[in-house]
Amino acid sequence: MFSSILLAIFPIFLGTVQALTAPVVARQSTANSCPIVWTEISTTLTQLFLAEGQCTDAARAAIRAAFHDCFNGACDGSLILANECSNTENRGLVRLCDSLGSLARDKGVGVADLIQFAAAHAIRTCPGGPAVPVSIGRKDSNVASPMGILPSPFAPATALIDLFASKGFSVTELVALIGAHSTARQFSVNASLSGAPLDSSPGRWDTQFYAETKSGRAPFTLPADKALAESSAGSELFELFAESRAAWASAFVPAMVKLSVMGVYGDLVDCSEALPGGTWSRKVRREADGDRREHSPKQVGGLL
Ligand SMILES: *[C@@H]1O[C@H](CO)[C@@H](O)[C@H](O)[C@H]1NC(C)=O
């Protein structure tokens, strides 16, 4: 079921059960600095995630993997360490899981941390992608999370909304997260259209997913995304995010951070500086470029 969507589903997620059930939540430590190994890892991930100025299938898989590691339990690396990747609901992730598992071993870092770092890196690597703060210090687990919790690509809007609410995510957070389908392709929801993107620019992080899903112009639309776009709770949010990249980013970034620490407790170390574009000047330049693309009709037209 849900598995089918290669990367894409991830956006729907979740978050926060832990905030509801535990008094102690993950907190950022200011005492420690990010280990230099994360800068080396970042260099390796850029080679995997960026090709010809666009983000790659591996980047798409990394974004989806972050959701799949966390939403059915905690962000604990069990996606890889308990081989959840071989489950049908994670179809399409095996190669990425192998790559990240090897990289974690080679570099001596935690798998749960690497999965979340890779997702933040991938989002940043997709042209137009926001800087999502990422921290390190999760505990790994080799105990598999239950199957059947991840959202189905065929879910009705009310089921999606209820599922996310049960994990502590609002409708706004749900709709913001699902925008990660901006860079997604589907492989098995309709196998005869395997590889079909969910918007016309799957190599870029942009708002076309919202506009095209709402209008029915996307190359492929998941039934669940269509249902959410047409629902009374989701419709206006699709319109808002289609119109405003800034509104989407300001909803997406905190929702993604929340997702990335589901079920995570204790002190974490901020490693955002190890992400690409992590220096102030590069960040500003990239954002300026993104704004130009977003607001220039000529350049936007060129993308279509
Ligand atoms: C898959 O897509 C093809 C081509 O658009 C369509 O004819 C077919 O009905 C679709 N199958 C399903 C199960 O939706």
Side-chain angles (χ1 to χ4, degrees):
M1 12 193 262
F2 164 82
S3 29
S4 344
I5 309 180
L6 201 42
L7 341 167
I9 271 209
F10 130 111
I12 301 186
F13 348 38
L14 47 90
T16 338
V17 160
Q18 82 252 31
L20 301 175
T21 57
V24 179
V25 297
R27 54 190 180 273
Q28 209 94 313
S29 166
T30 51
N32 303 309
S33 58
C34 182
I36 192 75
V37 68
W38 290 98
T39 302
E40 300 167 21
I41 288 169
S42 188
T43 302
T44 301
L45 292 180
T46 297
Q47 292 165 3
L48 273 177
F49 293 165
L50 184 66
E52 296 168 1
Q54 307 251 311
C55 52
T56 62
D57 285 345
R60 283 182 260 288
I63 297 168
R64 182 174 172 227
F67 177 56
H68 284 218
D69 190 40
C70 299
F71 195 71
N72 53 7
C75 306
D76 59 8
S78 61
L79 178 72
I80 291 172
L81 295 169
N83 198 24
E84 292 169 19
C85 278
S86 66
N87 296 342
T88 55
E89 61 188 9
N90 291 317
R91 194 158 33 184
L93 289 180
V94 171
R95 207 165 151 191
L96 186 272
C97 286
D98 288 348
S99 300
L100 294 188
S102 301
L103 186 58
R105 272 194 306 278
D106 289 352
K107 299 294 187 183
V109 300
V111 170
D113 285 337
L114 182 56
I115 291 171
Q116 299 309 315
F117 184 87
H121 189 299
I123 290 166
R124 192 66 168 134
T125 299
C126 295
V132 177
V134 66
S135 51
I136 299 306
R138 294 167 190 75
K139 291 177 180 50
D140 279 350
S141 168
N142 58 10
V143 177
S145 298
M147 291 176 62
I149 293 178
L150 294 168
S152 163
F154 301 102
T158 50
L160 280 178
I161 291 167
D162 290 350
L163 175 62
F164 276 78
S166 76
K167 302 285 188 181
F169 286 84
S170 69
V171 178
T172 302
E173 290 170 325
L174 163 60
V175 176
L177 287 170
I178 218 165
H181 288 178
S182 169
T183 60
R185 295 178 187 275
Q186 73 84 29
F187 289 83
S188 51
V189 171
N190 185 330
S192 70
L193 297 172
S194 179
L198 303 190
D199 78 4
S200 58
S201 56
R204 309 174 44 86
W205 189 273
D206 58 28
T207 60
Q208 293 190 58
F209 164 77
Y210 290 110
E212 294 176 8
T213 300
K214 192 98 176 63
S215 66
R217 285 184 290 108
F220 190 92
T221 294
L222 302 178
D225 290 0
K226 180 174 162 60
L228 192 59
E230 292 175 350
S231 68
S232 56
S235 175
E236 285 184 13
L237 288 163
F238 266 73
E239 281 165 21
L240 172 65
F241 296 154
E243 288 299 313
S244 171
R245 191 175 91 132
W248 176 32
S250 66
F252 177 84
V253 171
M256 188 66 207
V257 169
K258 184 170 165 179
L259 168 69
S260 77
V261 293
M262 276 186 75
V264 176
Y265 306 100
D267 289 331
L268 300 179
V269 174
D270 182 17
C271 271
S272 305
E273 282 299 303
L275 294 171
T279 65
W280 188 81
S281 58
R282 287 170 68 197
K283 218 182 269 181
V284 167
R285 192 164 64 241
R286 277 201 178 195
E287 279 163 12
D289 288 344
D291 284 347
R292 264 200 304 284
R293 282 192 302 263
E294 188 85 353
H295 299 309
S296 156
K298 193 167 151 211
Q299 292 191 28
V300 170
L303 298 172
L304 297 174

